Amino acid sequence: MQHVAGWHVEVEFDEDERHVRSAALLRLRDGTELRARGHAARHPDDPGEARVGEELAGARALADLADQLAAKGGHEASDLRAEAAAH
């Protein structure tokens, strides 16, 4: 049986002249919320293009979310295997 699932991800940015900070939130179907942060700093010689900093800071936050999600999935798979072996 096939079923469709979805996740909701939000990424927000806080910027000044030199720094971009990002905050990411992932909501899973089981009610779990994973949160992560990212950061990017503009070198003084770089042009003032906020989009690039957003992409870097956002990517760093999303990479952290990916790591958290992989760890969560790995722990849950291990727990399910242990539970199945106990029965």
Side-chain angles (χ1 to χ4, degrees), residues 3-85:
H3 85 250
V4 177
W7 297 338
H8 183 81
V9 179
E10 294 177 25
V11 182
E12 296 179 349
F13 301 96
D14 178 36
E15 305 171 28
D16 61 32
E17 303 81 38
R18 296 275 323 254
H19 300 93
V20 178
R21 289 162 294 284
S22 63
L25 169 66
L26 169 61
R27 291 188 180 97
L28 301 176
R29 290 187 310 134
D30 68 0
T32 301
E33 290 186 351
L34 301 177
R35 297 172 187 272
R37 296 194 176 277
H39 178 266
R42 186 175 67 82
H43 187 276
D45 295 338
D46 291 344
E49 183 62 47
R51 175 185 52 83
V52 175
E54 288 174 0
E55 291 169 355
L56 291 170
R60 291 170 180 154
L62 292 172
D64 185 12
L65 279 182
D67 290 344
Q68 291 179 49
L69 188 58
K72 181 182 184 306
H75 291 351
E76 289 177 352
S78 179
D79 290 348
L80 289 171
R81 284 191 301 273
E83 185 179 307

